[in-house]
Amino acid sequence: MFKIDTSAPVMVTGATGFVAGWLVKSLLEAGVTVHAPVRDPANLAKLKYLEAIAEKSPGDLKYFKADLLDDGSYAEAIKGCAIVWHTASPFTTNVKDPQKELVDPAQLGTRNVLEEANRTPSIQRVVLTSSCAAIYGDNADVAKAPGGVLTEDIWNTTSSLTHQAYSFSKTVAEKEAWKIADAQSRWDLVVVNPSLVVGPGVNPHATSESFSLVKQFGDGTLKSGAPRIGFGAVDVRDLAQAHIAAGFTVDAEGRHIISGHETNLLEMAMTLLEKYGDDYPIPRKAMPKWLIWLVGPVVNKTLTRKVVSLNVDVPWRADNSKGIRALGMHYRPLAESMTDMFQQMIDNGYFKKR
Ligand code: NAP
């Protein structure tokens, strides 16, 4: 369907991140030279995982110093590259100032990287890691979608700085990318819109919110029950394949929902019960919506009453057929992704056995 071209270097922003780790690994193993602009090239604790992969791979890994909020800082890293994968963007819900901590790096960072692509004649394609969060804001939006199913034609219109700010940041960032791409014709933009990403990290201590979420299944936070919040889920290794295909499939175009499973938080946790239920406080039952509505905002400031009303006990559905058709996606079972991620957390001292 596509051939990995090793003749020119490529740039991957956010290479230290959970999502990009497996993408960089696949590229290096295929023999591609990867330019990795990172915030701190001296942070060996963060880079050692990629380093270990690079040592054993035919591809070369080169670090550069860059920051999404530092205009022009990607100029060195992008030089001579054919493809950019722009994955860097903060994925966290624990913020004090959503404009500064989420929207600026997402939107201004996308502008910074894509304007550098405009100034770089060798660039042929930019692959943007957007999110299903740029398609919907709350699960209640899913019910309002035609046929109750999200598609690539839909945009998130319900998130804002004060409600689902991360989803808002991803929406404005993807819009920014399309605006810049549509104003020129030398390179094309291909967008990957993953649902919640799970599975083991190349770096077992990734900062991604995916880790904070799954950690709660083993650290006792949800021992009395998990909210049945509908989610889509995709394995990080399958998502790397989507990124590779989006970069090298000549006629790839537009947005792609990359999601293997329609699930919910409780169901995700319960995939772990058989193997880990005796030793760790995995949630076994649903936490009632009225209870979450009552105590949610007290224990977690992002779990506002509005978020609870619009998401708990509301299912999530999306049409993933374009990714299967156009990018050749295959999805591994959810239980495999959850088990591999949880086992990695155990091996890295995330939880105490009970
Ligand atoms: P992550 O592990 O926290 O990675 C975020 C990456 O962005 C890190 O490499 C980080 O670099 C970089 N970054 C953040 N702020 C930066 C800045 N100001 N300048 C330069 N780099 C910066 O999170 P992730 O889950 O892998 O997320 C990666 C991408 O996937 C994001 O675009 C996210 O929206 C998207 N996504 C994630 C999920 C999911 O469930 N995980 C789902 C859909 C989409 P440092 O190492 O320097 O911090």
Side-chain angles (χ1 to χ4, degrees):
M1 199 173 192
F2 63 84
K3 194 170 163 294
I4 296 186
D5 182 359
T6 57
S7 62
V10 303
M11 176 169 94
V12 180
T13 71
T16 47
F18 174 44
V19 163
W22 287 92
L23 164 65
V24 173
K25 182 175 189 287
S26 302
L27 290 168
L28 290 172
E29 286 173 353
V32 179
T33 296
V34 178
H35 290 191
V38 295
R39 277 193 278 193
D40 184 3
N43 187 341
L44 295 182
K46 238 184 198 177
L47 299 180
K48 68 180 177 192
Y49 307 100
L50 293 176
E51 250 337 270
I53 293 165
E55 269 169 29
K56 286 187 270 166
S57 305
D60 278 339
L61 179 59
K62 297 180 180 164
Y63 300 111
F64 300 81
K65 186 171 170 53
D67 192 304
L68 292 170
L69 295 170
D70 184 1
D71 277 350
S73 63
Y74 290 86
E76 268 308 300
I78 206 172
K79 243 184 222 164
C81 290
I83 305 175
V84 169
W85 279 270
H86 178 39
T87 83
S89 201
F91 179 32
T92 174
T93 51
N94 184 17
V95 292
K96 285 201 181 86
D97 183 339
Q99 178 70 44
K100 272 206 183 115
E101 294 170 69
L102 291 172
V103 176
D104 285 352
Q107 185 178 24
L108 304 180
T110 297
R111 190 184 300 163
N112 191 7
V113 172
L114 270 54
E115 281 181 348
E116 210 55 71
N118 273 344
R119 289 190 284 269
T120 309
S122 55
I123 294 295
Q124 296 159 8
R125 174 161 294 178
V126 174
V127 178
L128 174 76
T129 311
S130 182
S131 172
C132 282
I135 293 178
Y136 82 109
D138 296 295
N139 288 343
D141 300 345
V142 180
K144 291 187 204 130
V149 180
L150 299 173
T151 67
E152 286 88 356
D153 294 334
I154 299 173
W155 281 89
N156 176 351
T157 57
T158 58
S159 299
S160 67
L161 272 181
T162 52
H163 176 71
Q164 306 281 29
Y166 165 72
S167 303
F168 181 62
S169 78
K170 295 305 287 179
T171 308
V172 293
E174 192 190 327
K175 285 195 171 160
E176 187 74 31
W178 283 115
K179 195 170 87 190
I180 297 168
D182 289 345
Q184 57 78 57
S185 56
R186 184 172 37 77
W187 50 268
D188 51 15
L189 177 67
V190 178
V191 173
V192 169
N193 301 82
S195 57
L196 178 70
V197 186
V198 288
V202 161
N203 170 356
H205 302 285
T207 50
S208 175
E209 193 69 23
S210 293
F211 273 63
S212 325
L213 197 133
V214 173
K215 183 170 168 277
Q216 298 178 86
F217 297 159
D219 69 4
T221 307
L222 298 176
K223 64 173 187 279
S224 47
R228 229 188 240 126
I229 299 179
F231 271 111
V234 61
D235 189 279
V236 67
R237 296 159 289 189
D238 297 340
L239 178 57
Q241 279 312 304
H243 279 91
I244 295 276
F248 293 108
T249 304
V250 176
D251 53 3
E253 53 72 40
R255 313 172 88 192
H256 302 81
I257 289 174
I258 302 296
S259 182
H261 308 279
E262 293 168 348
T263 181
N264 64 64
L265 213 56
L266 177 64
E267 198 177 83
M268 288 170 72
M270 287 180 60
T271 62
L272 299 168
L273 268 179
E274 194 183 328
K275 188 158 180 203
Y276 303 105
D278 289 345
D279 294 330
Y280 297 93
I282 315 276
R284 291 168 181 269
K285 56 177 197 268
M287 190 178 277
K289 186 166 184 169
W290 64 264
L291 185 60
I292 308 165
W293 190 87
L294 211 60
V295 298
V298 182
V299 294
N300 179 343
K301 73 176 169 124
T302 60
L303 218 47
T304 62
R305 298 219 157 112
K306 185 172 171 186
V307 168
V308 175
S309 304
L310 298 176
N311 292 280
V312 176
D313 292 346
V314 187
W316 189 92
R317 289 188 65 203
D319 178 356
N320 66 0
S321 60
K322 183 179 174 191
I324 293 171
R325 204 173 51 243
L327 301 181
M329 287 306 296
H330 294 281
Y331 295 106
R332 69 194 72 207
L334 180 61
E336 182 183 329
S337 313
M338 293 302 301
T339 304
D340 290 353
M341 188 173 195
F342 199 79
Q343 186 61 48
Q344 183 183 47
M345 288 181 163
I346 293 172
D347 296 344
N348 284 277
Y350 275 72
F351 324 115
K352 284 193 196 86
K353 258 191 183 184
R354 59 178 172 200

